[in-house]
Amino acid sequence: MSNDPKQPILLEHEADGIKELDNLLPRWWVWLFYICVAFSIGYMLYYHVFNMGDLQAAAYVKEQKAGDEIKTASLAKFEANIASLVPTKEPAVMSQGSQVYTTYCAPCHRGDGGGIVGPNLTDDFWIHGSNYVDTVKVIINGVPDKGMLTWRGVLKPDEITSVASYIYTLRGTQPPNPKPPENQPKGPEKPSEFE
């Protein structure tokens, strides 16, 4: 080590020709280190010693429970007002309804509503009620004995009303090769060209 104050203070050892410079750490870095140490001690005492705060898993469960309560209250409020709902033709709502229908309903009812395993939505013979409110109820509750899932808790209230409005517009359309109306006696089973 050199005693010349103008020379950098180098330590005696070296590795592969690299010498270590022995200088003091910057003050800001040292204070940052002290603050981190103090924070970690406080964190450990707060969460792990005195159990004053929720750990990550407990905080997640608590927030999930609060979210479920909000969701349940929102659905209950929505379902309490179902009888007063009316279909809309607002373009933004119809667009959302079309997207929801294509994603969740078309696999069973076909993209044009003509029906595959689900009933034809374009005729006037609806099994579970033909008005808008009946459609909303079927979407919410499903028809488990016929294989239709309940969409309660899956679709948001605005998605339910939008897709019900969209379905409402399918009635009276003329898709090619629709499923026979549900009030007709069933003939011999023939595969649909869409199956």
Side-chain angles (χ1 to χ4, degrees), residues 140-154:
I140 292 172
N141 299 319
V143 186
D145 55 329
K146 300 268 185 176
M148 180 175 167
L149 303 172
T150 172
W151 296 105
R152 176 184 281 116
V154 178

Side-chain angles (χ1 to χ4, degrees), residues 116 179 186-192 195:
I116 305 176
K179 197 170 178 182
K186 290 191 175 181
E189 289 286 334
K190 293 188 296 185
S192 166
E195 292 184 47

Side-chain angles (χ1 to χ4, degrees), residues 31-48:
W31 278 108
L32 186 62
F33 177 74
Y34 292 150
I35 290 169
C36 288
V37 170
F39 176 81
S40 65
I41 292 171
Y43 185 92
M44 186 181 70
L45 292 173
Y46 185 82
Y47 286 104
H48 295 283

Side-chain angles (χ1 to χ4, degrees), residues 116-192:
I116 305 176
V117 292
N120 181 349
L121 300 175
T122 63
D123 61 26
D124 291 328
F125 304 99
W126 288 37
I127 305 169
H128 304 289
S130 59
N131 64 41
Y132 178 74
V133 171
D134 293 332
T135 304
V136 171
K137 288 179 181 175
V138 168
I139 293 168
I140 292 172
N141 299 319
V143 186
D145 55 329
K146 300 268 185 176
M148 180 175 167
L149 303 172
T150 172
W151 296 105
R152 176 184 281 116
V154 178
L155 297 178
K156 298 175 189 167
D158 64 317
E159 292 175 321
I160 291 171
T161 55
S162 67
V163 73
S165 292
Y166 179 76
I167 289 170
Y168 201 71
T169 65
L170 295 176
R171 183 175 302 169
T173 58
Q174 303 290 325
N177 193 22
K179 197 170 178 182
E182 298 292 335
N183 69 335
Q184 302 295 316
K186 290 191 175 181
E189 289 286 334
K190 293 188 296 185
S192 166

